[in-house]
Amino acid sequence: MSQKPPSDILDRRRFLGAAGLSAAGALLPIAAKAGEGAKPDPAITELQDWNRFLGDGVDKKPYGVPSKFEKDVIRRDVSWLTASPESSVNFTPLHALDGIITPSGLCFERHHGGVAEIDPAQHRLMINGLVDTPMVFTMDDIKRMPRVNKVYFLECAANSGMEWRGAQLNGCQFTHGMIHNVMYTGVTLKTLLDQAGLKPNAKWLMLEGADSAGMNRSLPVSKALDDVLIAFAMNGEALRPENGYPLRAVIPGWQGNLWVKWLRRIEAGDMPWQAREETSKYTDLMPDGRARKYTFVMDAKSVITNPSPQAPLKFKGRNVLSGVAWSGRGTVKRVDVTMDGGRNWHEARIDGPVMDKSMVRFYVDFDWNGQELMLQSRAIDETGYVQPTKAELRKVRGVNSVYHNNGIQTWLVHPDGVTENVEIA
Ligand SMILES: Nc1nc2c(c(=O)[nH]1)N[C@H]1C(S)=C(S)[C@@H](COP(=O)(O)O)O[C@H]1N2
Ligand SMILES: [Mo]
């Protein structure tokens, strides 16, 4: 798992550089030509069950689920990571997804007190504190206000946290799966705050959830009035209970813990809630013992999802390398990919919508002749920020941090296609 690359990797990298990978090389044939195979293919010559019998009627699945052949495409947790499944996390199967939208049922979950199952008719959102008129909204009230639709990524600040100390977990699901990218429908927080009327000395909001953890987080008013949404729908339907049904905060580009789920109260104040109830949560401990605090923005990051340890290379010849990239500071401008551990970089092809604080999908179509590959991707966002290497990050932040690891990930593809999580020393 945390195996280092073979010692001759540098030589091989040199060799690779010379041999050259044709990222945009000549197209090799992918499929067999009809009639050329030695043995007849039963997938063609035999009648299959699904071809022979009537299928299910339209009354069988009032709410559709994926094909039974997709049963491995699931969220997974790591049981030794946390003491209980109620205060824990599971991970999005990034290696099994494509495009940019995370299907609702596969969005990773992070709870501090389990999933609250809330009757929307009984749910209230209160706004109090430093406001002219304290307000209480029902779900019906909120659904009568002007709506917006936005696609945003949500990344937990602890995503890739285990990797600070070195390559640990064998799969992008586990190293990078505390992220999802969803289309939200809701109202802007500004719409709600305007109705309550913020007092001039209101500088911070405390957002509180209705779960058993009663989780609360502080948010600067400037962000609240900028692009924060209070969402009731994800990917076109009501929020899933796991993700905050019936109401959650959407804090674009900022760390996941601020995105309070099962949102029931917003209190306006003149200082951060944490300053009253001091907590060491979500600070980044630096090598000199000082801590970075209020590090809200998630910096540009990317990961190659295919190939990756859970999705090894299976075929020589033509292959599709794919991955995702995102930035909390705006749009992703470019993604570069190297196949030889950083010697040569190719610009990847971004395909699909490129939106503010949303994931993008990238591809490199390449030919593989079975040589060892050292794969990395690096994202560059609209501010010009370039995703750093892990070594560069450690130089500044040391290894005491758990949070905000946006370093470049390395996958080593062996000649048999098996792929593992490594770090280039
Ligand atoms: N009420 C409440 N909101 C919460 C949490 C929680 O435990 N309770 N966890 C937070 C954390 S740490 C993260 S990373 C995100 C995860 O959102 P998700 O479960 O939709 O992926 O929710 C945040 N909002
Ligand atoms: Mo989180």
Side-chain angles (χ1 to χ4, degrees):
M1 288 253 269
S2 52
Q3 209 173 305
K4 288 277 167 287
S7 54
D8 62 343
I9 191 69
L10 275 175
D11 294 327
R12 292 199 197 188
R13 274 161 59 190
R14 227 165 274 134
F15 166 75
L16 264 184
L21 267 169
S22 55
L27 266 167
L28 301 180
I30 294 174
K33 281 190 200 133
E36 271 195 352
K39 276 184 273 160
D41 180 356
I44 296 175
T45 56
E46 304 296 314
L47 209 52
Q48 308 293 331
D49 281 355
W50 51 87
N51 206 191
R52 197 163 19 209
F53 305 116
L54 270 179
D56 281 350
V58 293
D59 52 349
K60 283 283 155 43
K61 280 182 189 141
Y63 198 113
V65 293
S67 160
K68 63 183 176 190
F69 300 105
E70 299 293 319
K71 64 178 182 341
D72 290 336
V73 182
I74 50 171
R75 299 186 280 222
R76 290 186 175 84
D77 63 322
V78 176
S79 55
W80 49 262
L81 213 56
T82 52
S84 83
E86 291 78 28
S87 182
S88 194
V89 63
N90 59 25
F91 301 88
T92 305
L94 292 175
H95 62 289
L97 302 179
D98 217 320
I100 63 164
I101 297 296
T102 314
S104 298
L106 294 175
C107 287
F108 88 96
E109 307 164 59
R110 171 78 179 101
H111 320 303
H112 292 74
V115 177
E117 290 274 0
I118 298 177
D119 175 356
Q122 307 304 320
H123 191 70
R124 305 287 182 268
L125 173 63
M126 178 162 102
I127 299 186
N128 68 329
L130 296 176
V131 292
D132 298 327
T133 321
M135 308 277 297
V136 173
F137 301 99
T138 64
M139 289 303 297
D140 286 338
D141 293 336
I142 290 168
K143 288 183 176 175
R144 288 190 296 141
M145 296 173 198
R147 291 179 201 176
V148 293
N149 290 293
K150 295 280 185 181
V151 177
Y152 292 123
F153 76 84
L154 180 170
E155 184 182 17
C156 176
N159 200 22
S160 316
M162 263 97 58
E163 304 292 303
W164 265 117
R165 286 174 173 78
Q168 305 270 343
L169 298 169
N170 232 7
C172 65
Q173 178 163 25
F174 304 108
T175 57
H176 289 74
M178 280 195 246
I179 187 163
H180 48 64
N181 201 60
V182 159
M183 175 172 277
Y184 295 97
T185 308
V187 302
T188 66
L189 179 49
K190 185 173 187 305
T191 302
L192 299 174
L193 292 174
D194 283 350
Q195 295 181 52
L198 281 178
K199 291 203 188 292
N201 57 338
K203 291 286 178 278
W204 288 81
L205 304 179
M206 186 278 288
L207 277 56
E208 181 185 78
D211 50 333
S212 73
M215 206 196 76
N216 64 45
R217 290 289 179 267
S218 299
L219 182 72
V221 161
S222 53
K223 178 69 173 174
L225 296 176
D226 178 16
D227 56 3
V228 170
L229 303 181
I230 304 303
F232 46 80
M234 64 194 284
N235 295 334
E237 61 181 352
L239 293 175
R240 293 290 171 88
E242 302 93 297
N243 308 103
Y245 180 88
L247 208 56
R248 92 171 300 168
V250 171
I251 323 282
W254 287 25
Q255 60 191 25
N257 71 86
L258 299 161
W259 296 50
V260 173
K261 303 190 278 191
W262 313 292
L263 182 70
R264 75 165 171 207
R265 194 163 73 90
I266 298 174
E267 184 178 321
D270 56 1
M271 65 169 91
W273 196 258
Q274 281 91 337
R276 300 182 234 175
E277 275 182 56
E278 191 46 79
T279 145
S280 61
K281 277 202 182 118
Y282 299 103
T283 59
D284 302 313
L285 189 57
M286 304 273 280
D288 62 1
R290 289 181 308 153
R292 292 167 86 230
K293 248 178 114 173
Y294 304 122
T295 44
F296 295 136
V297 180
M298 301 307 291
D299 280 316
K301 186 166 168 181
S302 66
V303 66
I304 294 170
T305 55
N306 306 82
S308 62
Q310 297 158 289
L313 272 186
K314 288 192 198 141
F315 308 102
K316 291 189 183 155
R318 196 103 282 230
N319 275 283
V320 175
L321 177 151
S322 179
V324 283
W326 59 94
S327 168
R329 298 191 193 273
T331 54
V332 173
K333 205 168 184 155
R334 205 178 85 204
V335 180
D336 296 331
V337 167
T338 177
M339 298 190 167
D340 52 14
R343 222 180 120 84
N344 298 285
W345 290 90
H346 315 271
E347 183 172 345
R349 179 170 59 87
I350 293 176
D351 193 78
V354 175
M355 293 176 283
D356 183 45
K357 304 178 183 83
S358 161
M359 268 185 184
V360 298
R361 170 66 56 178
F362 65 85
Y363 300 101
V364 177
D365 302 293
F366 72 107
D367 290 324
W368 185 53
N369 50 35
Q371 75 272 49
E372 190 175 87
L373 305 175
M374 288 278 256
L375 301 178
Q376 299 180 322
S377 63
R378 72 174 173 217
I380 297 143
D381 72 15
E382 66 175 40
T383 70
Y385 175 93
V386 182
Q387 182 184 356
T389 64
K390 289 202 213 171
E392 284 167 341
L393 266 185
R394 286 198 193 100
K395 235 179 261 164
V396 184
R397 306 246 295 274
V399 291
N400 297 327
S401 288
V402 175
Y403 303 112
H404 294 277
N405 176 2
N406 67 322
I408 289 175
Q409 174 67 44
T410 311
W411 305 127
L412 171 63
V413 182
H414 293 280
D416 60 359
V418 168
T419 303
E420 65 178 323
N421 183 3
V422 299
E423 255 187 54
I424 301 180

